[in-house]
Amino acid sequence: MALTVGTPAPNFKTTDQDGKQVSLSDLKGKKVVLYSWLHRRILQLAR
Amino acid sequence: LRDNYKALQKAGYEVFGISSDDEKSHKKFIAKEKLPFSLLADVDKSVHHLYGTWIEKSMYGRKYMGTARVTYIIDEKGAIVEVIEKVDTKNHAEQILGGAVPAKPKAIKAKPAATKKTTKPVKSAAKKAAKKTKKK
């Protein structure tokens, strides 16, 4: 189930395309848009 | 979203795309699509699990696990302020801005209509009241 409005966003730690560490706690004080998009490979598999 | 990135940035948003693709494929994708924002690699899908965006889907009768297309808007305090599940790829930036930033054209357009509706009954009520006082 997707998360709902009003709940605190769970912290995550991952890396960006350059291997740089990104975590939500580092982004505190900033408004964040987190956009999850379709896994292209999965789509190809489904075809 | 790419083309409206500047508007989002002006409104103070940090934009991240996230998928279970790895860094290499992200790099290619950014170069190919000339994306101005960062893509996060979530190869082990831990973030997807945390945010509930790794779901069972079905296509042509086949079931598979895949990424749900969801946008989360997180405020400065780390709370989720909006969840957009029906992502409109063409107008996605507007979807984000329209919901989270009150002083945008969409919101302004809606306001006059709302005030008109509320003022009309008041006027007619005032007229009725005026008529009543005239009768007296």
Side-chain angles (χ1 to χ4, degrees):
Chain A
M1 273 302 290
L3 296 170
T4 50
V5 172
T7 54
N11 189 30
F12 59 80
K13 210 183 226 175
T14 180
T15 49
D16 70 4
Q17 69 281 356
D18 300 318
K20 203 180 89 189
Q21 282 253 338
V22 176
S23 73
L24 189 62
S25 52
D26 291 340
L27 295 165
K28 247 188 185 159
K30 283 179 180 170
K31 289 182 274 188
V32 178
V33 175
L34 191 65
Y35 171 56
S36 96
W37 84 94
L38 279 170
H39 194 310
R40 284 160 293 131
R41 273 186 233 143
I42 290 277
L43 260 180
Q44 282 160 6
L45 280 174
R47 261 176 213 153
Chain B
L1 199 58
R2 170 193 57 199
D3 301 330
N4 293 305
Y5 175 66
K6 273 189 183 166
L8 285 171
Q9 212 177 24
K10 259 191 191 170
Y13 288 97
E14 290 275 323
V15 181
F16 292 101
I18 186 159
S19 87
S20 50
D21 297 279
D22 62 12
E23 293 156 20
K24 260 191 190 172
S25 114
H26 277 344
K27 238 179 182 170
K28 271 189 200 165
F29 193 61
I30 286 173
K32 195 180 154 204
E33 303 288 330
K34 298 192 178 75
L35 293 180
F37 49 87
S38 290
L39 294 179
L40 304 178
D42 185 30
V43 182
D44 64 359
K45 299 168 191 88
S46 59
V47 184
H48 283 74
H49 287 304
L50 273 174
Y51 281 77
T53 52
W54 189 250
I55 54 160
E56 189 181 77
K57 297 176 162 194
S58 61
M59 188 183 272
Y60 308 120
R62 269 200 220 173
K63 284 190 175 169
Y64 63 99
M65 295 300 287
T67 303
R69 214 167 188 170
V70 182
T71 296
Y72 289 106
I73 300 169
I74 300 160
D75 72 2
E76 297 94 323
K77 290 169 195 159
I80 292 169
V81 284
E82 211 182 338
V83 181
I84 304 171
E85 286 189 74
K86 280 182 186 162
V87 173
D88 176 353
T89 35
K90 272 189 187 166
N91 301 310
H92 196 39
E94 277 171 37
Q95 272 186 311
I96 294 165
L97 289 168
V101 183
K104 277 283 149 181
K106 264 188 188 173
I108 291 164
K109 263 183 198 170
K111 267 180 191 170
T115 46
K116 265 182 195 170
K117 270 180 194 169
T118 49
T119 50
K120 266 186 186 171
V122 174
K123 268 185 189 171
S124 57
K127 271 182 192 172
K128 272 179 194 171
K131 272 180 191 173
K132 269 183 191 173
T133 48
K134 269 183 191 173
K135 273 178 189 172
K136 271 178 190 175

